[in-house]
Amino acid sequence: MRNLMIAIAVASSLAGVAHSQSDLDQWPPRDYLVESLVDDIPAILDSYDRETGRFGSEPWICTDQNRIFPLAAAWSLDHPDNPYYHSDEVLEAIAGGGVALVEAQDETGKWRFDKKDGSYWGQIHMPWTYSRWIRAYHLVGDALPDDARETWEEGLKLGFGQIAQAYPQSGVHNIPVHRAMALYIAGECFDNQQWQDDAREFMAKAVGEQDPGGFWSENQGPVVGYNFVYSDSLGIYYAFSQDPVVLDALERAARFHASVLWPDGSAVSAIDERQIYHKNIRIGNPGFAHTPEGRGYLLAQTRRHAGENLRLIGADMAAALLLYGGEGEVVMPGEIGEDGVVTLGDNDALVRRGDRWSWALSAYTAEVPGNRWIQDRQNLVDVFHAELGLVAGGGNTKLQPWWSTFALGDPSLVSHTPGDEKPNFTPEVKLAWTPSEATVSREGDVTRLDATVTQRAKMDREELLAESFEQISVGELPGEWSVFSMAGEMHVTGDEAHEGARALRFVDDDNQRSHGLRSPKIPAEPEESYYTEAWWLGEQENNAAIYLEFWNDEDERIEGGISIFTCSGTGEWSQRGGTARAPEGTVAVTMLLYSSTSGMTDGYFDGAALGRLVPDEAGQASMDASVEVRAEDEDLLLSYRAEPGVGAQAHLPLMLRGARLDLSTGEAHQLTDELLQLTSEETGDYVIHGDLRISIPDGASLRWPAMQHNPYARDGKSGLQNAKLVLVMPFEDTAEYTVRLTAIEPEPFDGEVFEARDLPFEHSEGTYTKRLDNLGSQFIGGTDVGDWIRFTLPEIEPGRYELFGDFVLAHSYGIVEVLVNGEVVGEPFDGYWTGVDASGTMESFGQVELGEGPHEITVRIIGRNPEATSQIFSVRRWLLRPVE
């Protein structure tokens, strides 16, 4: 008989934690943070391979080694509840982990940028890993064995020697800011004053780039999620440097983040130019711990995260807060705008929080960018309900006009082709899906957003410069072009060509100097749009870039007047380039064929061109639109207005609330990966999706699924969990639509309800379990057919009951049977769905007779759907209804 794996009713990770939120009355809650750090150490050590020095699961990626930092914190922390203080086992894992990083470095100190999905993104001085590696060295460097310390120092000096070359001149972005923090620490560790000075100068520049509203922008308007990177980096930097220049920026950042919180502690996503909505609670980081406002934010968010059971945070964050945080006065978020109405900037956005309904309107606008990481500013409305959470909106994406609050033209003209890794994000089509202008306003309890949507004019190309290299002698360079910091070789060759017989041979064999060829300066005008392009041929990992550069009348390259277009080596000729608008002060434009200081490459350029984009005489179609949002009794009303007959549409993208859509006609639809379109005649007056009722105005329709373009996947692929059910409102012969959202109060269950994650359970050997609070379930993984998880119910009144199981559905979930006290009941249940449905699916397993004493309910894996990727499973609740 197989041995049993036994879990207790309360997750073991909570053992030893005081069960009172009074432990979170002031900052820092040191005992709570120590417990959070210590609790994760066994799992980190279990993931360590002594043979290779690597942590984590296959395929190994360099960020798996980030675990050496919390290990180093645990090793160095003298606290009565920390059994890992000066542990030999922990020090051995730390040392081996750093050596493994050195072994994986290339000659420039970079690692392969791999992901767990097997995709490769080039070579990189991974900032998150370098910062944790140097912080681990700062904590344990003197205790490392001599051979390990020598290896560590060789690798760290190699990497930071390369990183340092970008400072202080680097542009401000979340990655350079994080690297600058690490560079400062490396300067302290290795007594390199130049590194410290360069990092300090750059951090002052980063502070200067912060918007007065407390956020950093990477195009136009806030990056909400990535703002935490800036705060984290500046906070840790301050802990080491005590540089007072960063404190005001950290206070402004804390105020900003407090102002954009939903009542559950998640953040508004409509204003975010980088990431879609995430339900998780961001508790903050060391950057918040150095100001009263930040410490208040930390306390409020930590309390929300911890809940009544004082759920722990991750070891990495706990370590950072223990080591690099501050203490002192606390100003809670409620005192700086967490409640009520907040207006950002000059009527750029509005967040309205109420007891039942809350919403946000975003008037941040920007041209559709060609960069995959900067999302289209298209979704202007987020809607949040106190019990249901976020119900509509959910952020921005690319190549998905159905997510746009307003569109002018046919949304089907723009879409993502599955598998396309290099899509054109700015196609020249007769469609506008982002506003060109917008503003928010408020009158009493009614908030309004007014927007102007303008179609991109068809652009003609006026070629200003073209270089085919056909007229240049082999071995020479174009006479009017200039060499930029040559670090290899460049010459015209007859060995390769995209067209004709010649191309530019481009070899950068120096990892410490840049390499490039710049065109002559061409006269240019501010606010005009310019393009550049060229063909590139390089093998895999041989990448170059094309820069579009703008110059002022002092013959200086304008700060921020650079657009970069990557040329990736694929083994075949590919045309790369893009467009940019000339900034204020522009008098000239150039193109630069380029390889960076830390880059090395070998390939060919051909067909280089630079030009101006000129709107044709037909002009641009434009329309004005608005949306008003107001609460009425228990409901929320959204009224959309636009001129009819010009091709305008309004869209309300709804968050996924389960696998089922119920129509007021009595019909129901399963939401799969197949396209579903329903007119208002087919839906009836309303639909119910999960616990939300949505009215369907006459003339409107529903569309599913409107998929996200995921920038973090090479091919943009995203699952149904991020897809939207979209209410489409075309302004054909009507100028206004009003939509009513109603939260449906679930009828109380007339019986006993048992949360599976709070019940004692056993599970079969070889499997593992997790308490999934975000899904409200108890999970079992590593399962084969025959594996099981067995729950023990508390004693109940003897009698006859109908048994219900409440299960999560997912693409990797199996087919199960349910047993009560060892006897199979009901029919098998298939947990497969194409996405992840966390809303719960109630299934009856018939009537059971229960006597006195405890009772066991077992879930046993018996197979899987042919479409399922595995046969794991997740149980939310068991319910017993008395039978008369």
Side-chain angles (χ1 to χ4, degrees):
M1 182 176 177
R2 301 172 77 180
N3 294 329
L4 304 183
M5 303 294 290
I6 299 176
I8 60 175
V10 178
S12 61
S13 63
L14 300 178
V17 178
H19 298 286
S20 170
Q21 283 220 340
S22 63
D23 294 284
L24 301 176
D25 280 346
Q26 60 185 358
W27 194 267
R30 187 170 177 81
D31 290 343
Y32 171 81
L33 295 176
V34 170
E35 183 70 24
S36 294
L37 171 63
V38 168
D39 185 72
D40 273 359
I41 301 303
I44 294 176
L45 292 174
D46 286 345
S47 74
Y48 177 65
D49 185 337
R50 287 177 172 78
E51 295 295 320
T52 63
R54 294 179 171 185
F55 293 89
S57 58
E58 293 296 331
W60 180 83
I61 58 179
C62 66
T63 51
D64 285 338
Q65 303 303 97
N66 292 3
R67 295 168 173 87
I68 63 176
F69 168 62
L71 285 180
W75 182 88
S76 64
L77 180 66
D78 187 3
H79 188 279
D81 294 332
N82 176 23
Y84 302 104
Y85 177 61
H86 283 191
S87 160
D88 291 341
E89 179 188 11
V90 170
L91 186 62
E92 177 190 349
I94 298 168
V99 170
L101 282 173
V102 178
E103 292 172 347
Q105 287 177 311
D106 66 13
E107 63 275 8
T108 69
K110 292 181 177 180
W111 297 293
R112 288 176 56 91
F113 187 176
D114 294 304
K115 291 191 175 183
K116 289 294 185 181
D117 63 6
S119 60
Y120 168 68
W121 295 65
Q123 299 295 114
I124 187 173
H125 291 111
M126 184 62 74
W128 330 119
T129 302
Y130 264 106
S131 82
R132 285 162 176 80
W133 190 14
I134 191 62
R135 282 182 273 164
Y137 177 83
H138 180 262
L139 294 168
V140 306
D142 291 339
L144 291 170
D146 290 343
D147 55 345
R149 179 171 181 170
E150 182 178 347
T151 300
W152 274 48
E153 291 179 350
E154 179 182 348
L156 286 165
K157 289 177 179 178
L158 170 64
F160 281 105
Q162 294 291 316
I163 290 170
Q165 295 178 32
Y167 293 92
Q169 67 273 15
S170 174
V172 175
H173 189 271
N174 67 81
I175 285 178
V177 171
H178 197 81
R179 285 192 180 126
M181 170 267 286
L183 181 65
Y184 185 89
I185 300 170
E188 279 201 1
C189 289
F190 298 122
D191 197 26
N192 188 317
Q193 191 61 47
Q194 188 64 53
W195 290 358
Q196 295 176 63
D197 291 345
D198 289 346
R200 185 183 295 268
E201 182 177 345
F202 175 82
M203 286 306 204
K205 181 166 66 172
V207 168
E209 289 285 320
Q210 187 191 42
D211 186 273
F215 59 81
W216 282 266
S217 179
E218 296 181 357
N219 184 50
Q220 182 65 39
V223 283
V224 180
Y226 279 91
N227 265 281
F228 287 95
V229 177
Y230 293 89
S231 294
D232 185 43
S233 304
L234 290 174
I236 297 172
Y237 163 74
Y238 177 77
F240 280 89
S241 69
Q242 295 298 297
D243 183 353
V245 74
V246 305
L247 287 179
D248 286 345
L250 291 174
E251 178 186 331
R252 288 190 293 268
R255 287 179 174 272
F256 167 75
H257 282 288
S259 71
V260 298
L261 289 179
W262 293 123
D264 68 349
S266 60
V268 170
S269 53
I271 63 174
D272 195 337
E273 67 177 355
R274 285 293 302 268
Q275 294 178 307
I276 60 172
Y277 175 73
H278 294 285
K279 187 178 180 180
N280 60 305
I281 296 170
R282 300 290 294 267
I283 68 166
N285 53 55
F288 289 77
H290 298 295
T291 67
E293 295 78 8
R295 289 187 285 270
Y297 178 94
L298 284 166
L299 268 181
Q301 292 294 84
T302 302
R303 289 172 183 170
R304 287 179 171 124
H305 168 87
E308 294 182 359
N309 292 325
L310 286 188
R311 181 163 62 101
L312 303 176
I313 64 174
D316 186 271
M317 183 57 67
L321 290 169
L322 282 164
L323 292 166
Y324 312 124
E327 58 184 33
E329 180 190 355
V330 169
V331 175
M332 298 302 290
E335 302 171 40
I336 53 176
E338 185 185 354
D339 297 317
V341 177
V342 173
T343 301
L344 302 180
D346 184 15
N347 291 322
D348 294 320
L350 182 148
V351 182
R352 170 75 166 86
R353 279 177 286 264
D355 293 335
R356 190 168 182 82
W357 290 100
S358 302
W359 59 90
L361 304 177
S362 173
Y364 288 105
T365 62
E367 291 187 15
V368 174
N371 185 323
R372 75 184 290 128
W373 304 109
I374 305 299
Q375 305 308 296
D376 301 346
R377 286 205 169 277
Q378 59 184 142
N379 170 48
L380 314 179
V381 182
D382 278 349
V383 177
F384 182 94
H385 186 269
E387 282 80 41
L388 308 187
L390 193 72
V391 301
N396 302 286
T397 187
K398 304 189 78 67
L399 298 175
Q400 185 48 277
W402 298 108
W403 283 27
S404 299
T405 301
F406 297 108
L408 182 58
D410 181 1
S412 65
L413 292 174
V414 173
S415 62
H416 177 239
T417 302
D420 187 358
E421 295 185 0
K422 297 178 181 178
N424 178 9
F425 293 118
T426 59
E428 294 186 10
V429 296
K430 199 171 182 180
L431 171 70
W433 63 96
T434 63
S436 53
E437 298 177 14
T439 187
V440 296
S441 59
R442 177 190 176 207
E443 184 174 344
D445 289 334
V446 177
T447 58
R448 178 183 173 103
L449 182 140
D450 289 278
T452 299
V453 181
T454 304
Q455 286 182 356
R456 296 178 64 195
K458 185 178 181 341
M459 306 296 281
D460 295 326
R461 291 188 167 207
E462 179 187 353
E463 193 172 83
L464 302 175
L465 177 150
E467 182 55 74
S468 66
F469 305 105
E470 293 299 307
Q471 305 304 315
I472 312 301
S473 300
V474 171
E476 301 295 326
L477 292 172
E480 296 183 352
W481 291 56
S482 58
V483 173
F484 179 87
S485 184
M486 190 168 181
E489 63 172 301
M490 287 182 292
H491 60 265
V492 171
T493 178
D495 298 338
E496 282 282 356
H498 176 256
E499 288 187 356
R502 296 179 183 176
L504 177 70
R505 183 87 165 99
F506 190 90
V507 180
D508 178 1
D509 56 6
D510 189 326
N511 60 25
Q512 298 188 27
R513 291 184 299 160
S514 59
H515 183 56
L517 186 67
R518 176 177 285 139
S519 76
K521 291 185 175 69
I522 304 296
E525 296 288 336
E527 300 303 316
E528 296 282 346
S529 293
Y530 293 85
Y531 71 89
T532 185
E533 61 190 20
W535 290 86
W536 170 254
L537 172 64
E539 296 300 321
Q540 292 282 346
E541 301 184 25
N542 284 270
N543 306 324
I546 306 171
Y547 281 25
L548 189 59
E549 308 170 300
F550 296 100
W551 303 79
N552 61 25
D553 57 6
E554 296 180 357
D555 203 30
E556 296 175 339
R557 196 166 65 175
I558 296 173
E559 181 91 13
I562 307 168
S563 293
I564 303 172
F565 309 102
T566 300
C567 303
S568 301
T570 64
E572 299 178 353
W573 284 101
S574 60
Q575 189 178 41
R576 304 301 292 169
T579 65
R581 188 182 297 273
E584 183 178 351
T586 294
V587 300
V589 61
T590 56
M591 69 179 299
L592 172 67
L593 310 178
Y594 184 69
S595 176
S596 67
T597 53
S598 58
M600 297 174 66
T601 194
D602 187 338
Y604 300 86
F605 278 111
D606 200 2
L610 174 64
R612 186 168 70 100
L613 296 174
V614 184
D616 71 4
E617 295 181 357
Q620 299 169 282
S622 181
M623 65 117 178
D624 293 325
S626 68
V627 56
E628 285 186 353
V629 188
R630 65 190 185 279
E632 183 178 277
D633 298 327
E634 298 296 306
D635 300 342
L636 189 77
L637 299 183
L638 300 101
S639 295
Y640 298 82
R641 300 180 181 92
E643 181 183 351
V646 298
Q649 292 186 7
H651 302 141
L652 178 61
L654 297 155
M655 304 296 288
L656 179 63
R657 310 197 67 75
R660 181 183 173 97
L661 181 68
D662 293 291
L663 314 184
S664 58
T665 61
E667 296 183 29
H669 290 270
Q670 188 85 355
L671 299 181
T672 68
D673 51 9
E674 297 294 325
L675 177 63
L676 175 66
Q677 299 182 89
L678 298 168
T679 66
S680 57
E681 289 80 8
E682 293 170 315
T683 63
D685 293 339
Y686 63 88
V687 297
I688 295 176
H689 185 40
D691 38 18
L692 180 70
R693 185 169 65 209
I694 308 108
S695 70
I696 309 296
D698 289 342
S701 64
L702 283 173
R703 182 185 181 92
W704 165 269
M707 302 292 287
Q708 178 205 14
H709 177 274
N710 179 11
Y712 300 96
R714 272 287 192 187
D715 61 358
K717 184 177 181 180
S718 177
L720 288 184
Q721 66 272 16
N722 291 329
K724 300 288 192 295
L725 173 68
V726 180
L727 179 62
V728 181
M729 295 165 278
F731 294 96
E732 294 176 353
D733 53 9
T734 183
E736 180 174 347
Y737 289 93
T738 295
V739 181
R740 181 180 295 269
L741 301 180
T742 307
I744 299 174
E745 296 288 344
E747 294 185 9
F749 184 78
D750 53 345
E752 301 281 350
V753 180
F754 306 98
E755 295 288 337
R757 55 194 165 145
D758 292 335
L759 293 173
F761 64 88
E762 303 169 338
H763 57 107
S764 50
E765 185 180 16
T767 62
Y768 65 95
T769 63
K770 289 183 180 179
R771 176 188 172 99
L772 301 180
D773 289 325
N774 60 325
L775 298 181
S777 67
Q778 183 62 54
F779 167 86
I780 181 169
T783 48
D784 292 320
V785 172
D787 284 324
W788 48 267
I789 181 170
R790 181 180 300 135
F791 300 90
T792 301
L793 301 184
E795 290 193 27
I796 62 172
E797 184 74 21
R800 193 163 188 80
Y801 296 86
E802 183 177 7
L803 171 67
F804 295 87
D806 181 5
F807 306 129
V808 176
L809 300 178
H811 53 84
S812 55
Y813 283 14
I815 301 172
V816 301
E817 62 182 5
V818 172
L819 300 85
V820 175
N821 297 329
E823 297 293 329
V824 175
V825 295
E827 299 296 325
F829 177 80
D830 188 348
Y832 170 78
W833 184 57
T834 50
V836 176
D837 181 2
S839 63
T841 298
M842 291 272 287
E843 182 76 7
S844 173
F845 291 92
Q847 296 183 10
V848 293
E849 188 74 38
L850 300 178
E852 295 182 354
H855 300 280
E856 296 177 338
I857 302 181
T858 303
V859 174
R860 183 161 61 198
I861 308 293
I862 61 172
R864 69 177 179 184
N865 190 297
E867 300 296 323
T869 58
S870 185
Q871 60 278 323
I872 55 183
F873 207 73
S874 196
V875 182
R876 286 167 49 90
R877 300 181 301 168
W878 297 111
L879 305 95
L880 292 171
R881 175 182 290 151
V883 176
E884 294 291 338

